[in-house]
Amino acid sequence: MAADDADPACPVCGAVYESVSTHDSGLLVNLLDNERYRRVCFEPFADESGDPLVRFFHHTHAQTALDG
């Protein structure tokens, strides 16, 4: 599910990101051979009901090269 209320800059590393997604159940991350994304930052938070969620900020190769 997309996060419409996400910050314009990643709250974890401060870099711009291409997309953001929110997850409420199991997930797997493997970026070893990913042609599109270089890094994904994770931000745990709770929704309005207090249910735990994790927001993913997807950074492209170009975006991570710019943030040093």
Side-chain angles (χ1 to χ4, degrees), residues 7-29:
D7 296 321
C10 177
V12 179
C13 70
V16 296
Y17 56 88
E18 182 179 78
S19 62
V20 61
S21 60
T22 302
H23 304 269
D24 63 357
S25 60
L27 47 101
L28 178 130
V29 177

Side-chain angles (χ1 to χ4, degrees), residues 30-63:
N30 176 3
L31 300 180
L32 293 175
D33 298 313
N34 192 302
E35 294 181 13
R36 186 171 192 170
Y37 297 116
R38 172 75 178 259
R39 179 176 69 224
V40 176
C41 291
F42 307 92
E43 179 192 37
F45 72 103
D47 67 10
E48 304 82 35
S49 302
D51 294 325
L53 299 169
V54 178
R55 192 171 279 159
F56 282 29
F57 294 87
H58 310 103
H59 300 281
T60 65
H61 291 263
Q63 290 167 334

